[in-house]
Every structure is written in structure tokens, then in C-alpha cells.
Amino acid sequence: MTKYQSYIHNPCPAEYLKISLRSHVYEVAQITPLEIMHKLSKRLKNTVLVKREDRQPVHSFKLRGAYAMISSLNETQKSSGIITASAGNHAQGVAFSAAYLGITSLIVMPVNTAAIKVEAVHSFGGKTLLCGTNFDEAKIKAMYLAKKYQLTFIPPFDHPTVIAGQGTLAMELLQQDAHLDRIFVPVGGGGLAAGIAVLIKHLMPHIKVIGVESTESASLCAALSAGTPVHLQKVGLFAEGVAVRCVGNETFRLCEKYLDDVITVDNDAICAAIKDLFEDVRAIAEPSGALALAGMKKYIQKYAINGERLAHILSGANINFHELRYISERCELGEQREALIAITIPEKKGSFLKFYKILGKRFITEFNYRYNGSKNICIFIGIRLKHGSSEKNIIIQKILTNGFKVIDLSNNEIAKLHIRYMIEARLFHPLQERIFSFEFPESPGALLKFLYTLGKNWNISLFHYRNYGTDYGHVLAGFELSHQKKEEFFQHLSKLGYEWRDVTTNPIFKVFLK
């Protein structure tokens, strides 16, 4: 039987406070600073404070919960060794804690885990086993090995001792600023949110605690809607630190009871928050680390909050360097400081000058156009905005008033991921063609495997792939496909095991690639 540390089921807030106070986390964890973000405070008309958990030895809050549980094991459990499954911050927290206590640790990680994360675990003294294509498969393997070799499994979030360890962060917040109005907390499995919420509501219940989820992995929202934890069919991996398919039973119990609200944000909003953190306090957060700030900004706008003291948790800074390219490209859209639009103008003298005069002296961030001999040309253009969506709407209306056709692409994911890099890929000859988007796990040889499994029975008429440094690759592919062969092709795609969507009807395809 897999070994866990025993605990009281459904501890009350007073018991959680007791466990937190008795925790040994400060043998390894730091009391991290609570810093004011001056620029953002002025912009948002609230006092915005950031709790810098990126300053921990493993650059993440996960060290608190991991060490709280590992240090509380009995001598038999310690001598037998520990095991966990993780693709990121929990892995590093476990490896660091085990090494400090002289305990052997094994961390099972998905095969597509970024090398920087595997190397970090090794640097902290942990052993790794790469197994499975995602966290769930890695966890199954870890549980099997725990049972086989009598190792103690260290859960990443769903255990009272882990939750209480994360709750030490709440006590620090109150000691650093007891006048907070709201605290915004990122939510993945729910351990941090549960730990903070149960202690804040026990000690200072008037402070609101708001959970923030990524729209691509909103497992807590799904659980709250269903009344019980449920498994999401798919989670996005951009905010990898919170990419959890199902919240824990104990974390759900606490979050449902003690969180005041939950809000979700998209990837562009997260990218904008990463930029805010860098510009204000020079912190480079990982996507899940900036999640709480993205939620705070959305919450302020949604409820017109003004003049409050608001804290958010910068939960981690273990970012793959190459992700910064994607983040840089998307942050302006997330902050509504950039608009992406497609404009159709006549291919004749003076048309371009007439169109450009409409834009005036606005800053152009991107401009893509290619002459193709037709009567009309299409331009893909990015425009810097000073006043968000209201300014964008004014620009679009002005373009329409001057007789040009325009499509707003600011929220078109296909345009942002692929088309902006493919303006010269227009089709010149009639072709029965369908366009599909694919996702596949990034790993050495993954693109080659993707092309191989796609098969050789259909002519590929278009192909675009760009590595963004994330755990999943994105491909846009076109196929010469007659109506008679369509069903056969769909059956083949279903056997591949990749996520795919038919995007042939996306308007951006008709404008730039048809």
C-alpha cells in the first residue's frame, strides 16, 4: 500500500493554524518581502503589493509545503525514502527539502519536461525518472513505485500538512501588512489558495481572498460548478505551474468554504502581468507566477475597485528562457495596448497613402503585405494603443468610414500564433484545401514524429510551425482534400492522438491564405 503521512481528516481552521505554527518551514524557507508596485499602483488607482515568493531558494512557494510535510515524517519513512510526481516547482521543493534532511528522493517527471527543470532537480540533489507524456501519467508511475518500494509519496497539494505549510505565507502577509483589503492567489491544485484562505478567514475574516485560475486549466471553477472535484478533459500548459486537471478533495473543501471569489484570465492577460512585474520590481515571473496579478487587474476593472490595499502572490520564477519570446509578443495584446487588424485596400496608386493617413501618427508595431497581382491587397497590421479597446474601436470605425474593409484580429488565436508569420503564403491556384491546427508535446524529435504519423496519403499544401519554448508545439497545416476523402481523413486524424481542430472557416484564412 502506498505510504502517506497520517492526518486528521477535515481539520478545522484552528487546527490548521496550529499545524502552521508548528511547521519547520523556516529551517529552509525565507520570509519573502512584500513590495509595493509603484507604477501599477498609480495606474490602477489602488495600492498594489506583491509577495515575492520568487525569492525562495527554489524560486517558488512550493518549498513551504514540501518541507512542512517531509520534515514531519517519522524516522522509518525518512530512512525508506520519498517519491513524488511533478513537472516543475513541487519537484524542486521536494528535492531541496530531501537533500537538506539527508533523505533519498525520486521525482517522476513527464518525458517532455524542459531540460532546465530536470537539471534544477538534479542540482538540488534529487533523482529523476522521465515517464509519461503528462503529469497524470507521471503520477500513476510514481504511485506504483511508491507501493513497490515502500516509498512515502509527497503529494503536491492535497494534504493538510502541505496546505498548512503553504499557509505560513498567510501569516507572513498579516505580519507585514495587517491593513490589506484583498489578497489574490493563483490556483492550480488549490494548496496555496486553501492554505491562505483558511488562515486569513480564521484570523482576519474581513480580508477578502480571491482565487485566480487560467482559463485553460480552471479546475476549481469546474469543481465549484459541479459541487465536487471533476477532471478536466484537457488543460493548457502555458501556465504550466497551475496546469492541474482536478483540484484535491481537501483543497476543494477549503476553497469552497473560505475563498470569497474566483476569477479566470487568459494567456494574453498573464503575459501582460509578467511585463508589469518586470517593469515595476524587475522580477521575471513564470506564467503561473504572474497569474494572481493578472487576476487582480481584471478584478479591479470588473468591479471598479478604487483606493484599496491589494496584495498578490508572485508564486514562482522558474521560467524557460525561450518562453520570453512568446510573452513579449503577446503582452501588449493582453494589456490592450496593441490592436491586430486586417485591412483590404484597392491595388492602385494612392490607396496605401490614403489608408496610412487614417492612422495618423499612431505607432505601427507590425506591418505585413505582399503584392500578388490581384485587384485588392490585404495588409496585416499591428497598432500601438494608448486607450485600450475604445481607441481600437475608433480606429476601426474610421477605416470603415473611409471605404476600406477591416477585420479585428486582436482575439483571433490562429492569427496571433500563425498567420502573422505567413503573409507571403497566399495560394495562387485553385485548390480543394482544408486548414487544421494541431498541438503536440514538445520534445526532441517531436516535430519529426508528428510529420511521420500524419501519413503520406494526402498532399500538404501549407505548413507553419514555430517553437515558443513551451511544452506544447502548435502547427497550422493545410491539405489538398476532396469532399469524398474528407471522412477518411478525419478518421486518420482521430487515430493520431494529437489535439486538432478544423479551422478552414476562420475568416483570417480567407483573407490572407485563400
Side-chain angles (χ1 to χ4, degrees):
M1 184 176 181
T2 303
K3 295 197 289 185
Y4 287 91
Q5 182 193 25
S6 61
Y7 62 89
I8 302 171
H9 287 277
N10 302 338
C12 67
E15 289 170 324
Y16 267 108
L17 177 59
K18 183 178 178 180
I19 300 170
S20 291
L21 289 171
R22 289 183 169 182
S23 174
H24 299 288
V25 298
Y26 294 108
E27 292 177 359
V28 293
Q30 303 294 319
I31 297 176
T32 54
L34 182 66
E35 299 179 358
I36 185 169
M37 297 181 68
H38 293 283
K39 294 179 182 178
L40 199 59
S41 295
K42 184 178 180 180
R43 195 170 95 213
L44 299 180
K45 298 179 174 58
N46 290 275
T47 300
V48 177
L49 301 157
V50 54
K51 181 65 170 165
R52 295 289 303 273
E53 284 299 286
D54 59 310
R55 296 287 190 87
Q56 293 293 356
V58 299
H59 307 294
S60 148
F61 78 95
K62 284 287 190 178
L63 179 61
R64 296 176 184 267
Y67 192 82
M69 181 165 178
I70 295 169
S71 63
S72 67
L73 299 178
N74 61 43
E75 291 306 314
T76 300
Q77 291 171 316
K78 289 180 180 178
S79 62
S80 298
I82 61 176
I83 189 171
T84 195
S86 172
N89 294 335
H90 178 62
Q92 296 173 56
V94 169
F96 186 95
S97 300
Y100 183 86
L101 295 167
I103 301 171
T104 301
S105 66
L106 175 62
I107 290 88
V108 184
M109 311 178 82
V111 294
N112 59 319
T113 301
I116 188 172
K117 298 175 183 177
V118 179
E119 291 165 4
V121 171
H122 292 164
S123 71
F124 292 134
K127 297 179 181 179
T128 60
L129 173 64
L130 302 184
C131 181
T133 59
N134 54 52
F135 168 75
D136 294 289
E137 292 179 7
K139 183 181 178 182
I140 291 172
K141 182 67 173 182
M143 299 292 282
Y144 166 77
L145 294 174
K147 181 179 179 180
K148 182 176 180 179
Y149 296 108
Q150 291 295 290
L151 305 173
T152 299
F153 183 80
I154 308 298
F157 48 82
D158 198 25
H159 192 289
T161 307
V162 175
I163 294 168
Q166 319 297 26
T168 58
L169 195 154
M171 293 190 292
E172 284 182 29
L173 276 172
L174 294 180
Q175 291 168 343
Q176 291 168 325
D177 193 331
H179 300 283
L180 296 173
D181 294 296
R182 302 174 202 266
I183 301 170
F184 292 81
V185 189
V187 180
L192 181 62
I196 290 178
V198 67
L199 292 186
I200 292 293
K201 290 304 177 181
H202 181 61
L203 297 171
M204 301 191 76
H206 65 280
I207 298 177
K208 305 293 185 184
V209 183
I210 316 299
V212 185
E213 289 193 293
S214 164
T215 53
E216 294 188 343
S217 56
S219 57
L220 178 57
C221 285
L224 291 171
S225 178
T228 186
V230 294
H231 280 79
L232 301 178
Q233 289 188 344
K234 180 192 174 188
V235 294
L237 292 179
F238 174 64
E240 182 259 351
V242 292
V244 176
R245 289 178 182 267
C246 184
V247 296
N249 292 318
E250 178 64 1
T251 56
F252 173 70
R253 181 183 76 86
L254 295 173
C255 288
E256 182 182 40
K257 189 171 184 178
Y258 297 110
L259 277 183
D260 292 284
D261 205 351
V262 181
I263 192 168
T264 62
V265 292
D266 62 21
N267 290 350
D268 287 352
I270 295 172
C271 291
I274 293 172
K275 182 183 178 183
D276 287 326
L277 283 162
F278 176 76
E279 290 188 338
D280 224 311
V281 296
R282 293 299 184 266
I284 302 178
E286 63 185 276
S288 59
L291 182 63
L293 176 56
M296 174 192 286
K297 291 166 62 181
K298 183 176 179 179
Y299 208 83
I300 289 171
Q301 183 179 35
K302 183 176 181 179
Y303 296 104
I305 296 171
N306 195 315
E308 293 191 1
R309 293 186 71 81
L310 310 173
H312 65 92
I313 315 301
L314 197 175
S315 58
N318 291 304
I319 187 170
N320 182 343
F321 180 79
H322 297 292
E323 274 190 276
L324 294 174
R325 176 173 60 184
Y326 173 88
I327 291 165
S328 177
E329 290 177 354
R330 302 294 286 261
C331 62
E332 297 298 300
L333 290 166
E335 194 58 54
Q336 295 187 340
R337 294 180 182 175
E338 183 184 30
L340 294 181
I341 55 178
I343 301 102
T344 302
I345 67 175
E347 181 62 274
K348 63 181 182 181
K349 292 181 179 179
S351 291
F352 179 73
L353 180 60
K354 179 184 176 182
F355 159 69
Y356 205 82
K357 283 182 178 179
I358 298 171
L359 300 179
K361 295 183 178 180
R362 289 185 171 87
F363 186 81
I364 304 302
T365 59
E366 185 169 356
F367 190 94
N368 285 302
Y369 145 75
R370 187 188 184 207
Y371 173 73
N372 65 4
S374 63
K375 294 181 180 180
N376 294 302
I377 60 172
C378 295
I379 301 170
F380 185 104
I381 189 167
I383 306 171
R384 180 72 51 80
L385 303 175
K386 294 181 179 179
H387 306 292
S389 59
S390 60
E391 182 182 0
K392 178 182 70 175
N393 293 336
I394 291 171
I395 294 171
I396 290 175
Q397 188 56 48
K398 195 172 182 180
I399 294 171
L400 290 171
T401 302
N402 280 268
F404 297 120
K405 293 181 180 180
V406 59
I407 301 176
D408 182 7
L409 305 176
S410 304
N411 296 313
N412 189 312
E413 196 66 18
I414 295 296
K416 290 185 284 187
L417 276 177
H418 300 287
I419 301 300
R420 68 194 309 175
Y421 309 109
M422 299 176 63
I423 301 306
E424 297 185 6
R426 177 179 290 276
L427 186 66
F428 286 90
H429 305 287
L431 187 69
Q432 287 185 296
E433 183 184 43
R434 298 193 74 87
I435 308 296
F436 298 85
S437 65
F438 297 88
E439 289 184 13
F440 58 88
E442 282 282 25
S443 61
L447 183 58
L448 179 62
K449 179 185 176 184
F450 172 79
L451 291 170
Y452 181 78
T453 55
L454 208 56
K456 303 177 181 178
N457 298 324
W458 292 275
N459 179 42
I460 296 177
S461 57
L462 175 152
F463 195 89
H464 180 259
Y465 161 78
R466 195 163 191 252
N467 188 311
Y468 286 102
T470 56
D471 291 333
Y472 268 69
H474 297 272
V475 163
L476 188 73
F479 298 87
E480 186 176 4
L481 196 64
S482 67
H483 183 73
Q484 292 80 5
K485 291 283 187 178
K486 185 172 68 173
E487 289 304 318
E488 181 184 348
F489 183 75
F490 283 173
Q491 290 176 10
H492 180 70
L493 290 185
S494 298
K495 296 176 183 178
L496 295 181
Y498 295 117
E499 293 288 337
W500 61 273
R501 289 185 299 122
D502 186 342
V503 296
T504 307
T505 58
N506 190 301
I508 190 61
F509 164 62
K510 295 180 179 179
V511 171
F512 284 110
L513 302 182
K514 197 67 176 174

